[in-house]
Amino acid sequence: MAEEDFFKRQEIEACGTGRGPAALLRGGAGTGEAWLLVRASDGDRRPPARPSGLRGGDLLLFEPGVEPDLSGLAAPNLAFEWIRFIPRPGWLRHMSAWPRFRGRTRMVRFPAGASSARIATAFRRCMDDLRARSSPYDRELALNALGEIVYLGRREVFLRTGLQELSPDIRRVVQILEARMTSPYTILS
């Protein structure tokens, strides 16, 4: 594949903001390859009325071709930011590690704190760089900010699951090492 073809396939197709679940319909399902990343962006971090309800700070990732339907999950005044994009190849395995929310939609819930603030900042940078178009580097800067969001979401999942992600053999070795932390080790032990 030619280099220019490779870079054409890593695109941010569109981005936007709005209030209420209907705002996401403007994001649409995009092309057959496009994913839709959504951030519930208002400051309301109270637990939702329903356990599966959305609150400010939540990230949703809709797989290609999935219509963003949040009926019954989001308050009518909840604000959203969204980015429709074709991911870099290295992002796919990190995105697929996000927990499934329902169907082909994934969700990471961020508690209030530094990670949530970084996500909000990265979203804003991505959208600002995409809209700027003042230099040939704006698109790449937008993709880098989007990559930061993907990796922060992946890190949040890892911090919650920890060793559960490792294969059972590796997990067992780590448990043995932790149990015998003060014992001397050699190659043979």
Side-chain angles (χ1 to χ4, degrees), residues 126-138:
C126 180
M127 295 172 80
D128 289 348
D129 289 336
L130 186 63
R131 291 175 178 149
R133 301 187 190 272
S134 59
S135 80
Y137 300 102
D138 292 327

Side-chain angles (χ1 to χ4, degrees), residues 42-145:
D42 82 8
D44 185 4
R45 294 196 164 273
R46 292 171 293 174
R50 298 172 43 173
S52 60
L54 299 177
R55 64 179 183 220
D58 290 348
L59 281 182
L60 293 167
L61 185 61
F62 295 88
E63 293 181 11
V66 174
E67 194 67 33
D69 177 21
L70 297 180
S71 54
L73 295 175
N77 64 343
L78 188 63
F80 293 101
E81 299 172 308
W82 56 267
I83 301 168
R84 190 174 58 228
F85 66 101
I86 297 172
R88 291 182 165 162
W91 296 352
L92 291 172
R93 70 183 176 97
H94 299 290
M95 291 169 17
S96 66
W98 288 25
R100 289 206 182 270
F101 177 56
R102 64 177 179 180
R104 293 175 39 220
T105 303
R106 299 171 183 280
M107 181 174 91
V108 176
R109 177 160 280 163
F110 283 87
S115 290
S116 184
R118 274 183 79 180
I119 292 284
T121 301
F123 241 95
R124 182 61 39 221
R125 276 193 346 259
C126 180
M127 295 172 80
D128 289 348
D129 289 336
L130 186 63
R131 291 175 178 149
R133 301 187 190 272
S134 59
S135 80
Y137 300 102
D138 292 327
R139 184 176 134 304
E140 190 62 29
L141 289 168
L143 282 165
N144 287 340

Side-chain angles (χ1 to χ4, degrees), residues 5-12 86-89 139 143:
D5 291 338
F6 177 75
F7 284 108
K8 281 181 191 171
R9 295 180 54 77
Q10 302 167 28
E11 286 293 333
I12 297 175
I86 297 172
R88 291 182 165 162
R139 184 176 134 304
L143 282 165

